[in-house]
Amino acid sequence: MLCMILVSCTGQKTGKENDNNDKIAIEVGGIKFSPQDVLQLKSYYLSSSVHVDSIDYLIGYNYRLHSLDCMNLKSKSVTQIVLPGDGPDAIVLPICLSGIYAQSLDSVWISDESERAFLIDSVGTIKRMIDLKKYLEDQEQLLINTNYAMFTSHLFYNASRHSLMFLVKHTPSNTFIVKEAFIDEVGKMATYQLSSSKVVPDMSKGYAYINFPNVNFVGENIVYNYPVESSIYMLDIRTNERKYILADSHYTSNIIEKCTTSGDYATLEKHWLENSHFYDIMYLPKYKIYARLHADKVDFDEKKGMEKLINERDLYLMLFDENMEKIGETKLSNCRYSPFTSWNATYGGIALFVDNVLDEKNNTDDLTIDIISLK
């Protein structure tokens, strides 16, 4: 068990204890899964957590077997839900899944590139299918995405409102909207306009594929941020109240520099590496706190090769109380997690898949998950 002290962001830029004693302790516990009867992955690019009978589960999409793997974080066991490949509503490969939200172990919402959402039960039966295209206007683009090199906008099921929520881009105006589809009332929909970044209002040029918001949902709040800057934004869908939270890191740059040269993918990738990258906002219900991860820039050295540069990036964790006041920040273990595979907020912690090609201590294909929790 590894313990860390998160130094308050109001203190000095150092890992030492500060005078105002405003800090919070966390611990990192590893969960190593023994070989299973099912073929699980080392990490899952798409996963969701659910808390049942005091047990945390992760449900991840296994793209090799086209299944949902249910990981019990207490018993360290994995069961599998095979997704249907036949029939009129089949989720047919090579279509990729884009989003997942675990409502319960017997009700998991997933979406795919056909712009449909499916409700799957614990044996893989499709209980419901929603055509999300019906909720899109002309020149609108559906943006359910979990690509940590770009942006993360989640699919969400609001149980109290019986609705699905998802991000949409209005292409002509380059603005972003969250749409809420009330699935028990055909055609009924609500829309919520997201605020543009106050730090970088115009991302139309110079930011390529990272000019979209990260979007998550906590109860009746839409919580979002932009990969290019450190601020956080909240929108209460009941009152339309908006909040703007300054969430600057004390360790890294808090804004991505605009890419002033046009070029191919290699140029854009170099620009991405030479700047910080801010990931989506998570919520830990047990502690009523929020969390954000972000990656630091690296000094670009072509001799190292892209794989090493990508995987040696430092990853930082910042925590916020229920009022979104910063309560601490720390650097996580280096060369242990991948910047491309997902992490998840569970009921009482943050689950990170241990998967990094530079990690010599964990160089097997075994599934290992680190859980970061408050001490």
Side-chain angles (χ1 to χ4, degrees):
M1 187 76 70
L2 175 65
C3 295
M4 300 180 186
I5 297 293
L6 276 78
V7 177
S8 166
C9 298
T10 59
Q12 296 297 314
K13 184 179 175 181
T14 174
K16 299 179 181 179
E17 293 189 8
N18 49 28
D19 293 335
N20 63 14
N21 203 33
D22 186 5
K23 58 187 181 295
I24 187 169
I26 64 171
E27 56 187 10
V28 183
I31 301 175
K32 189 168 184 178
F33 288 73
S34 59
Q36 307 283 318
D37 292 334
V38 300
L39 179 63
Q40 78 272 5
L41 302 181
K42 187 176 176 69
S43 61
Y44 295 76
Y45 81 91
L46 194 64
S47 62
S48 179
S49 69
V50 63
H51 186 71
V52 181
D53 296 330
S54 301
I55 299 173
D56 282 327
Y57 295 82
L58 285 181
I59 301 179
Y61 175 57
N62 187 330
Y63 63 90
R64 291 180 179 173
L65 300 180
H66 195 44
S67 66
L68 298 179
D69 291 358
C70 302
M71 293 157 268
N72 184 318
L73 301 186
K74 183 176 181 180
S75 67
K76 304 176 186 178
S77 60
V78 182
T79 56
Q80 217 157 53
I81 302 172
V82 178
L83 296 177
D86 300 312
D89 295 329
I91 307 166
V92 182
L93 293 173
I95 286 180
C96 294
L97 297 194
S98 57
I100 182 171
Y101 179 80
Q103 179 183 345
S104 69
L105 291 175
D106 194 47
S107 298
V108 181
W109 286 96
I110 59 175
S111 60
D112 67 8
E113 291 179 341
S114 70
E115 300 184 331
R116 296 180 297 173
F118 304 87
L119 179 60
I120 309 291
D121 68 11
S122 57
V123 295
T125 303
I126 295 178
K127 308 299 290 185
R128 194 154 192 175
M129 191 277 290
I130 306 295
D131 187 356
L132 300 179
K133 292 189 294 292
K134 293 182 178 180
Y135 297 91
L136 301 180
E137 304 292 339
D138 291 340
Q139 297 181 308
E140 286 186 342
Q141 177 187 3
L142 180 65
L143 294 175
I144 301 174
N145 182 72
T146 311
N147 185 329
Y148 286 83
M150 299 171 62
F151 66 100
T152 303
S153 57
H154 294 274
L155 176 70
F156 177 68
Y157 175 72
N158 189 317
S160 65
R161 297 165 67 91
H162 303 287
S163 62
L164 285 174
M165 303 184 73
F166 47 88
L167 179 67
V168 168
K169 179 182 180 180
H170 183 250
T171 305
S173 63
N174 198 34
T175 56
F176 299 98
I177 304 164
V178 166
K179 293 204 171 186
E180 181 178 21
F182 296 91
I183 60 178
D184 291 331
E185 303 175 63
V186 178
K188 183 179 179 182
M189 177 182 64
T191 61
Y192 309 96
Q193 184 85 36
L194 300 188
S195 301
S196 59
S197 167
K198 293 184 179 294
V199 179
V200 188
D202 183 9
M203 300 182 197
S204 59
K205 295 181 180 179
Y207 296 97
Y209 51 85
I210 53 174
N211 59 352
F212 303 90
N214 303 311
V215 178
N216 215 333
F217 304 88
V218 180
E220 310 304 315
N221 289 306
I222 302 170
V223 186
Y224 59 105
N225 64 323
Y226 292 88
V228 303
E229 55 107 347
S230 61
S231 304
I232 299 172
Y233 306 80
M234 296 183 71
L235 171 60
D236 188 322
I237 64 174
R238 298 163 302 183
T239 65
N240 201 38
E241 179 186 1
R242 295 176 185 267
K243 293 182 180 179
Y244 169 58
I245 300 101
L246 292 173
D248 287 357
S249 169
H250 267 217
Y251 298 98
T252 71
S253 172
N254 289 291
I255 184 172
I256 291 179
E257 296 180 5
K258 188 173 182 178
C259 185
T260 56
T261 59
S262 59
D264 54 14
Y265 178 77
T267 302
L268 298 176
E269 193 171 41
K270 180 175 180 290
H271 174 256
W272 176 67
L273 283 168
E274 291 180 327
N275 286 275
S276 302
H277 186 101
F278 295 90
Y279 300 110
D280 61 311
I281 311 304
M282 300 174 283
Y283 182 68
L284 282 59
K286 179 179 179 179
Y287 306 110
K288 296 182 180 180
I289 64 173
Y290 295 85
R292 183 197 65 198
L293 295 172
H294 76 278
D296 196 5
K297 65 181 180 181
V298 297
D299 294 324
F300 190 82
D301 183 353
E302 192 172 358
K303 294 179 181 179
K304 286 186 176 182
M306 295 303 295
E307 184 178 63
K308 184 173 183 180
L309 289 170
I310 289 170
N311 284 280
E312 70 179 12
R313 295 184 81 172
D314 288 332
L315 196 63
Y316 289 84
L317 168 66
M318 184 178 286
L319 297 178
F320 309 82
D321 66 17
E322 59 183 322
N323 298 313
M324 291 302 291
E325 295 289 336
K326 294 176 285 188
I327 55 177
E329 181 179 17
T330 191
K331 185 170 82 72
L332 301 184
S333 297
N334 186 252
C335 299
R336 186 166 176 83
Y337 314 112
S338 168
F340 295 127
T341 53
S342 70
W343 38 78
N344 258 295
T346 65
Y347 175 74
I350 303 169
L352 299 100
F353 295 107
V354 177
D355 187 8
N356 188 292
V357 297
L358 303 181
D359 188 356
E360 297 179 354
K361 296 180 180 179
N362 296 278
N363 55 5
T364 70
D365 289 331
D366 295 336
L367 172 62
T368 301
I369 298 173
D370 280 353
I371 303 295
I372 299 177
S373 58
L374 297 192
K375 188 177 179 181

